[in-house]
Amino acid sequence: MAFAAGWTPACRNAVLGGAIGVAAFAGLLLATSPFQASAQQPIVIKFSHVTTPDTPKGKGAEKFKELGEKYTGGKVKIEVYPNSQLYKDKEEIEALQLGAVQMLAPSTSKFAPIGVKEFEGLDLPFIFPDEAAYLKATKGPVGKALLQKLDAKGIAGLAFWDNGFHMISANKPLRKPKDLQGLKIRISGSKVADAYLRAMGALPQIIAFSELYQALQTGVVDGCENTPSNYYTQKLHEVQKHINVMNHAHLSYAVIVNKRFWDALPADVRPQLEKAMQEATDYTDAIASKENADALGAIKASGKSEVYEPTKAEREEWREALVATYKNVEGRVGKDIIRDLQAAVLSQ
Ligand code: LMR
């Protein structure tokens, strides 16, 4: 396990001992500089994430590693830890705040536990009619305002990364909203998803991404929603008989860093990393649609699950039912965020 230069042995032991959440460790982190750059010892950025390397996020993380190491001429070493191998969904944000890892890209549905509920506006069903609308909104003022809300939590938000639209699945066909009645559906954490599924009569349950396949296989939950690339790389289509390509909610990631670490980076390092992040973001956003289309093709070709494309009328019925649930969450997400997202979409 490599550590950022300048970490004290006590810090290292605290991390190695898995002592996340221990107040003494948090105190140490506050009292010491996160690193001191030296020519001999590169600054280490640990980038932890939960998907496989062959997803838009996995490929984006590798692209950032490649460019970040190149642009900083060896001053920075970027270690990518995919597949929840270091931390699961909730633990990874705690680890970032404590400085045990420096960079993550959680889906925006996972920010509520740290008190930034506004991010869940990005999970609203049918808020984005297409990828172009999503990109417009997140790259514009409302996207920037959302990232800035993380500052107060000791987190710097660097970018949004795209991973397409959600499908929804179960072991029975889901053609109409009423087909969800009584089904236990896995969600990743968003109260917005909880609200819209509950309003359809489903029983949403938060389960970590790394545990989803098993939860579906053993019947802990009946169904789930996710993007084609996540279904395919987690083999979810092998344990779900019916998939509806609804494209209802969008899966966005916020790439985030420990703010104290980021702010303390030397002047000859941070701009290079910002450039690398900008290019890795453009790359990820450019490949996301094709990655998801290819994954959907592979799921169909596997024959393991019936993949259903809803008719225009069916999609409209779902849209009306789900959009009606915005009112259930506007107090939580914020009317202004919903309004700003809708205005950004309309301004296309
Ligand atoms: C999920 O938990 O379903 C997603 O957030 C996983 C991911 O990071 O794509």
Side-chain angles (χ1 to χ4, degrees), residues 182-193:
L183 294 187
K184 285 176 277 170
I185 304 290
R186 179 267 178 178
I187 57 169
S188 60
S190 171
K191 282 277 191 281
V192 165

Side-chain angles (χ1 to χ4, degrees), residues 50-51 57 89 107 110 163 186 188 209 226 230 251 253:
V50 301
T51 65
K57 177 160 63 179
D89 298 350
S107 59
K110 294 179 186 166
N163 186 14
R186 179 267 178 178
S188 60
F209 189 58
N226 227 305
N230 277 346
L251 179 48
Y253 303 119

Side-chain angles (χ1 to χ4, degrees), residues 175 308-319:
R175 299 282 158 83
Y308 182 74
E309 305 266 355
T311 65
K312 214 168 161 219
E314 282 169 341
R315 194 187 300 276
E316 189 49 29
E317 185 180 345
W318 280 93
R319 201 190 65 77

Side-chain angles (χ1 to χ4, degrees), residues 178-258:
K178 69 172 173 43
D179 295 332
L180 280 170
Q181 280 283 344
L183 294 187
K184 285 176 277 170
I185 304 290
R186 179 267 178 178
I187 57 169
S188 60
S190 171
K191 282 277 191 281
V192 165
D194 183 277
Y196 67 67
L197 288 167
R198 217 169 270 287
M200 301 302 111
L203 306 164
Q205 289 191 22
I206 297 174
I207 292 175
F209 189 58
S210 55
E211 290 160 13
L212 177 53
Y213 176 90
Q214 209 185 359
L216 291 167
Q217 190 187 37
T218 56
V220 169
V221 284
D222 305 304
C224 65
E225 51 170 19
N226 227 305
T227 62
S229 73
N230 277 346
Y231 270 86
Y232 188 62
T233 53
Q234 298 295 318
K235 302 190 190 334
L236 306 181
H237 60 295
E238 296 184 6
V239 285
Q240 291 283 265
K241 291 197 174 67
H242 295 271
I243 298 176
N244 184 329
V245 189
M246 179 91 72
N247 292 340
H248 55 295
H250 191 272
L251 179 48
S252 322
Y253 303 119
V255 187
I256 56 176
V257 282
N258 178 299

Side-chain angles (χ1 to χ4, degrees), residues 115-126:
V116 273
K117 306 183 285 268
E118 295 88 344
F119 270 79
E120 293 179 343
L122 299 171
D123 305 329
L124 288 164
F126 295 103

